[in-house]
Amino acid sequence: MTTVQKICVSLNMPRIRHIRVFSSVSSAGLVPKPYLPDNLMKKTKERIARHPSFLADTLEGEWSDIWPLPNQFNPYLVPLPLRMGHTQKFCVSPDKYTSVELLKVQNFLHLTPPAIKKHCAALKKFCTPFPKELKTQQDCEREFPVETHTVDYVAAGKTPRNPAARVVTKTIRLSNLVLDHHARLKLTQLAGKERYNRSNDILTIKVDRCPVKKQNQDFADYLLTALYFESWKTEPWESKENTSHSDGYYWWEDSPSYQNVKNLSLSWDSPAVEKYRESVREIKLEPEPEKLGILTEERKEAVSNYKDSVIKLLNLPVLA
Amino acid sequence: MLPYTCCTRYIRHQATTKLIKNISCAVLQGTNIPEVIQVRKQSKINLRTNSNSNPGLASSIKKIYCNERDPGNHTLKDVGLMHEIPKEDQSSLVLKYDKGFRKKFLTEASAVDKLCIMVRKPGLELVNYLKYSNYSTAVNRYLMYGPAGCGKTMTMMYAVDYCKKQGWLIVPVFNPWTFIQYKNTYIVHQREEIVRSLWNKERVDHPEIAARWLENFRQINSGLLETVFTTREYTWSKHEKTKSGVSFSTLVDLGIARIRIATDVAGCIIREIINQDSPDFPRTLAAVDSANSIFGISTLKIEPGVYLEPQELALVHNFKKILSNKWKNGAVIVGLNTSGIPSQTKRIAKVSSEHPYDILGQEGFDILDPHIPIHVPHYTDKEAISHLAYYQDRKWLVGRSTTEAGEAEILQICGNSPTDICVYCGHLY
């Protein structure tokens, strides 16, 4: 095994079988770049070969000691014959000492698996075990109702930055918040239809308007607190006249339905009127259906309840 | 003879391609097969044997027509029988313009030479309510709802027939859709003119349509109009007046002759009905079909770019008054047209709806409340077979259609939907 292969084995890196050590091509007509005369070329080769990075014995200690932190590529420290860069015509491919491309890109040489293990082992004494009380998903939700969702992107490129990484999504189930009837309606209306899912009772806030993830997170926190406290306030314009049934309010006494029933001149104490009032409320305060026009079971029940209550109200006989 | 032979192939091609097109469109788009086909329940009749020679279940039915001419005497045992409307009544029930019955049904009736309405449970329910309600208090409203093509208009006409036999005055508003929405803007003669109203400057008249409505009104209440009198004086314009105590028939004649004031005459008739005082006033039935058009949007323009709202039309304003329950001594039957839910744009979404209040909207529900919603569902199995038996009796279905295999095929394709049976049998032989 050559020295380079030995180095590869000790560093836990994929074994390189065939290594082509560069040599000057001096056949007739073809001139390599950079061009050096033969004697000078020999001298530089010797000088390079003498460098400690090529000799396995001089590799002192672990790789993590040599390369502990993210660093720009140092060809003298890295014992691998890497090549990078566009090969020009009739030229040899540039080596690691002369190529600028290797300096430009990110390298993750500080993140070799043994280095990571060492780092984790060092951090372990500061960690506590996962609490035993949090066994199910519901336990976790009870203790930590707000869920933050962020995505980090890793790609080999010039920069480690990705503009999609600034998006922050925070979700919370509204049953974990203390809200009365008015506050809940107001919060769902302020948030809007796209952000509140009625079947789950989950409010989602997705923020991507700031350039940095931390700024977006702070903004999402601000939005949640603002929504919560605003929904508890009652403005002076939120009076009876300005609310409609689509907001979730329905005062039967002020509605046209009441006026119509008044025309019938009935006694107001009878239980038929109470039942009728309940059925009208049920129909008016129905949440918006997913698909308009289809008679689902619940809607059918609402309509038939209404029918029964009106029949009782008007004292009509039912067909036997 | 039966006039279907010449146009069988064309109609069959049309009907089946429409069916196939609907299904294939849905499949290509990846959506569900249209609800019209999904909602139908499969018939539970035992149609195991598919013999081509044995007569089917429909031929074994002996009693097809109902003997009672008065719908008030029909009972639950008569469900499935056909209630015939004789020729003398047809002249007053089948109106000249804006017919109550659907066009398909009338062509079928002329082919088969009989006009029959099937006695079904919703119809009996309605007539039962009409019989026993209290007419000294405010008016009761009845709303028919159900899937498309299941017989809402037919139950309404059944109730109208009952009321005519009892001697009621009938206010027929059968198709407000025609003057609120124009379906064909390319056929010039269908575009009627609209004029600013003389009575109230903010509203808009329909002179020709009001004249037609008055003719309809005259036709359906043939004998009664002479017995009803107005109670106050009306000034139509600077030079025209009518004194009080004039009978309805003269009013209607005046409206038809002077088209300019026809809408105001219609409004005056409705006002008289609502403010009735005398005990001699006959009971009134207001039959309003396609009521969701009144609460929707219109495509009429008074100036280029300015669309009218239905409330601004004087006819609609008057018809809305009759839907309320401020008057006494009568009943209101409201039917819905399921094929349109108005959206924010000026287009009607082509979604067929079963739910009544999605179509009516909140405004409609407020005006009609409290009313009794009556569900008109698809046929039961017994009714479907009696429909086929009726066709066989009229010699429309002969040959293979009377066998078990033929019956199984018809019921499988059409399910239990009345319109589909009508259309599909229209080209069978």
Side-chain angles (χ1 to χ4, degrees):
Chain A
M1 277 206 294
T2 59
T3 46
V4 180
Q5 282 178 341
K6 275 193 203 153
I7 292 164
C8 293
V9 165
S10 68
L11 286 178
N12 238 6
M13 281 190 173
R15 193 170 151 178
I16 305 167
R17 284 219 191 139
H18 186 73
I19 296 162
R20 195 161 66 94
V21 180
F22 60 88
S23 55
S24 62
V25 175
S26 54
S27 44
L30 296 172
V31 179
K33 260 188 192 171
Y35 169 68
L36 283 177
D38 271 339
N39 50 352
L40 273 177
M41 199 66 186
K42 215 175 174 184
K43 267 192 191 164
T44 50
K45 260 209 263 178
E46 278 169 20
R47 188 160 41 91
I48 287 162
R50 258 186 276 131
H51 198 271
S53 71
F54 259 138
L55 305 168
D57 307 327
T58 56
L59 202 64
E60 290 154 5
E62 297 280 322
W63 177 250
S64 49
D65 296 332
I66 301 169
W67 201 282
L69 292 168
N71 197 3
Q72 202 182 48
F73 185 77
N74 189 346
Y76 296 102
L77 280 181
V78 179
L80 304 164
L82 299 168
R83 267 180 272 135
M84 188 168 175
H86 176 64
T87 52
Q88 292 197 337
K89 229 179 178 182
F90 310 127
C91 297
V92 104
S93 38
D95 61 343
K96 66 175 176 179
Y97 296 103
T98 52
S99 100
V100 185
E101 307 295 323
L102 274 170
L103 300 175
K104 287 197 246 174
V105 296
Q106 312 167 60
N107 59 74
F108 297 103
L109 292 165
H110 58 288
L111 293 177
T112 57
I116 293 175
K117 266 192 193 164
K118 200 173 152 187
H119 196 185
C120 287
L123 285 177
K124 201 160 187 168
K125 57 177 181 279
F126 300 111
C127 298
T128 52
F130 194 77
K132 280 178 250 170
E133 292 85 17
L134 296 179
K135 284 178 201 155
T136 60
Q137 179 67 25
Q138 282 144 354
D139 290 334
C140 296
E141 202 191 300
R142 191 179 5 109
E143 301 294 329
F144 308 103
V146 182
E147 259 179 60
T148 318
H149 186 261
T150 52
V151 187
D152 291 310
Y153 297 87
V154 170
K158 276 187 258 182
T159 58
R161 294 163 218 284
N162 192 328
R166 71 186 198 280
V167 175
V168 171
T169 314
K170 292 218 176 196
T171 59
I172 180 171
R173 208 180 282 257
L174 284 189
S175 49
N176 293 319
L177 290 174
V178 176
L179 293 170
D180 72 348
H181 179 64
H182 160 262
R184 185 174 258 263
L185 284 173
K186 189 165 177 184
L187 201 150
T188 47
Q189 280 198 303
L190 284 173
K193 208 173 160 189
E194 312 88 42
R195 294 195 184 93
Y196 178 61
N197 186 350
R198 197 186 292 116
S199 48
N200 281 355
D201 195 31
I202 289 183
L203 175 74
T204 344
I205 297 180
K206 182 177 172 185
V207 186
D208 62 351
R209 55 168 84 179
C210 307
V212 174
K213 190 193 292 185
K214 181 173 190 304
Q215 295 168 345
N216 282 326
Q217 251 192 10
D218 293 341
F219 184 58
D221 288 334
Y222 161 73
L223 278 181
L224 268 179
T225 39
L227 270 179
Y228 178 71
F229 285 109
E230 278 297 311
S231 63
W232 271 100
K233 292 183 199 162
T234 324
E235 304 285 335
W237 46 259
E238 277 184 46
S239 54
K240 255 191 186 182
E241 299 96 46
N242 288 332
T243 51
S244 69
H245 59 266
S246 55
D247 297 330
Y249 295 101
Y250 188 66
W251 280 277
W252 184 69
E253 284 78 20
D254 296 333
S255 72
S257 154
Y258 177 84
Q259 303 293 325
N260 288 342
V261 172
K262 233 178 163 178
N263 284 337
L264 292 177
S265 63
L266 291 172
S267 59
W268 292 109
D269 298 336
S270 55
V273 179
E274 266 302 310
K275 209 179 161 192
Y276 168 69
R277 176 173 178 263
E278 287 304 316
S279 57
V280 170
R281 280 199 63 147
E282 209 189 308
I283 285 193
K284 278 278 186 173
L285 292 179
E286 216 177 19
E288 245 191 78
E290 289 158 14
K291 243 186 168 183
L292 268 184
I294 299 193
L295 260 182
T296 52
E297 287 300 323
E298 300 150 349
R299 298 185 93 192
K300 217 172 177 179
E301 239 190 85
V303 177
S304 54
N305 273 347
Y306 177 72
K307 181 179 175 185
D308 294 332
S309 66
V310 173
I311 287 176
K312 286 235 169 65
L313 195 76
L314 302 173
N315 280 327
L316 288 175
V318 182
L319 194 64
Chain B
M1 280 312 290
L2 297 161
Y4 63 90
T5 43
C6 51
C7 45
T8 343
R9 280 206 197 124
Y10 178 65
I11 297 171
R12 171 169 43 178
H13 177 71
Q14 247 188 358
T16 43
T17 44
K18 206 172 173 191
L19 256 175
I20 293 168
K21 198 179 171 188
N22 271 340
I23 300 174
S24 60
C25 265
V27 167
L28 283 173
Q29 288 170 10
T31 52
N32 296 328
I33 287 175
E35 279 104 16
V36 176
I37 301 178
Q38 253 181 1
V39 165
R40 271 180 236 150
K41 59 177 183 183
Q42 287 304 310
S43 100
K44 289 179 197 142
I45 314 164
N46 191 356
L47 295 169
R48 259 184 286 121
T49 53
N50 278 328
S51 71
N52 280 317
S53 56
N54 291 350
L57 280 167
S59 355
S60 59
I61 292 181
K62 288 187 187 123
K63 188 175 180 193
I64 296 173
Y65 301 104
C66 192
N67 292 325
E68 282 282 347
R69 281 300 144 111
D70 188 7
N73 293 336
H74 290 163
T75 59
L76 271 178
K77 292 181 193 166
D78 299 330
V79 168
L81 300 177
M82 295 302 232
H83 168 67
E84 198 195 326
I85 298 178
K87 290 248 162 78
E88 313 89 53
D89 288 344
Q90 269 182 39
S91 59
S92 56
L93 264 187
V94 178
L95 306 169
K96 197 168 160 194
Y97 307 104
D98 282 348
K99 305 177 181 29
F101 296 106
R102 296 274 173 245
K103 202 171 163 193
K104 266 183 278 198
F105 176 71
L106 287 175
T107 48
E108 182 205 300
S110 67
V112 153
D113 209 26
K114 255 194 191 181
L115 199 99
C116 284
I117 305 178
M118 192 188 276
V119 178
R120 293 177 71 190
K121 195 166 169 221
L124 289 175
E125 212 181 312
L126 232 195
V127 168
N128 193 35
Y129 293 142
L130 286 173
K131 268 202 265 183
Y132 294 115
S133 47
N134 188 358
Y135 288 110
S136 56
T137 57
V139 166
N140 285 338
R141 274 86 57 88
Y142 309 98
L143 175 73
M144 326 280 258
Y145 71 97
C150 280
K152 296 183 282 294
T153 322
M154 298 299 281
T155 28
M156 193 195 285
M157 297 310 287
Y158 180 73
V160 166
D161 189 39
Y162 165 74
C163 293
K164 279 223 66 180
K165 298 212 156 86
Q166 304 282 313
W168 291 29
L169 183 74
I170 301 183
V171 177
V173 184
F174 284 139
N175 212 351
W177 209 258
T178 48
F179 59 86
I180 300 181
Q181 288 257 344
Y182 286 137
K183 285 181 205 162
N184 294 323
T185 47
Y186 302 106
I187 300 179
V188 177
H189 70 84
Q190 277 201 5
R191 267 199 160 143
E192 313 295 347
E193 50 173 50
I194 33 179
V195 185
R196 281 280 167 199
S197 162
L198 294 171
W199 195 275
N200 188 336
K201 283 260 161 87
E202 288 165 27
R203 298 200 213 120
V204 161
D205 270 357
H206 277 106
E208 287 174 33
I209 290 185
R212 286 193 210 154
W213 185 82
L214 287 171
E215 280 197 45
N216 271 1
F217 187 64
R218 185 168 61 180
Q219 188 188 356
I220 202 169
N221 305 305
S222 29
L224 269 179
L225 291 178
E226 271 119 43
T227 54
V228 191
F229 299 98
T230 56
T231 49
R232 60 161 250 209
E233 197 181 294
Y234 292 100
T235 31
W236 309 116
S237 64
K238 266 188 249 174
H239 311 288
E240 285 163 10
K241 273 190 209 181
T242 28
K243 302 180 200 160
S244 65
V246 160
S247 74
F248 267 17
S249 55
T250 38
L251 257 189
V252 170
D253 290 335
L254 171 68
I256 293 172
R258 287 274 298 145
I259 288 186
R260 191 94 169 81
I261 56 169
T263 17
D264 297 330
V265 169
C268 145
I269 288 177
I270 288 177
R271 177 189 275 213
E272 288 292 320
I273 292 173
I274 290 174
N275 297 340
Q276 57 182 260
D277 249 342
S278 65
D280 295 335
F281 209 96
R283 288 215 187 124
T284 330
L285 172 78
V288 181
D289 203 3
S290 297
N292 47 320
S293 55
I294 296 182
F295 302 110
I297 42 181
S298 78
T299 53
L300 299 172
K301 285 192 238 195
I302 187 115
E303 278 148 33
V306 179
Y307 282 103
L308 285 175
E309 283 180 47
Q311 298 139 4
E312 290 178 31
L313 301 169
L315 273 181
V316 169
H317 181 84
N318 291 326
F319 293 148
K320 259 192 196 173
K321 275 197 233 168
I322 212 170
L323 284 178
S324 70
N325 71 343
K326 289 188 181 143
W327 49 292
K328 302 183 183 179
N329 201 18
V332 179
I333 305 184
V334 180
L336 294 176
N337 188 347
T338 52
S339 65
I341 301 180
S343 59
Q344 285 300 317
T345 63
K346 289 292 174 188
R347 296 199 189 111
I348 300 255
K350 299 257 175 187
V351 179
S352 75
S353 156
E354 279 186 34
H355 193 86
Y357 307 127
D358 277 348
I359 313 174
L360 267 185
Q362 293 296 334
E363 197 200 329
F365 181 80
D366 284 336
I367 289 183
L368 283 178
D369 195 31
H371 59 271
I372 297 178
I374 300 179
H375 186 53
V376 182
H378 288 291
Y379 274 160
T380 56
D381 299 331
K382 189 182 158 201
E383 289 170 350
I385 290 197
S386 71
H387 195 163
L388 293 179
Y390 165 65
Y391 282 144
Q392 283 176 17
D393 176 68
R394 302 303 304 152
K395 302 283 187 286
W396 184 263
L397 291 181
V398 288
R400 191 175 169 259
S401 320
T402 52
T403 61
E404 277 183 1
E407 241 181 55
E409 186 184 323
I410 298 175
L411 288 174
Q412 186 73 22
I413 291 183
C414 305
N416 286 352
S417 161
T419 342
D420 283 346
I421 293 183
C422 181
V423 166
Y424 192 70
C425 292
H427 62 264
L428 288 182
Y429 55 93

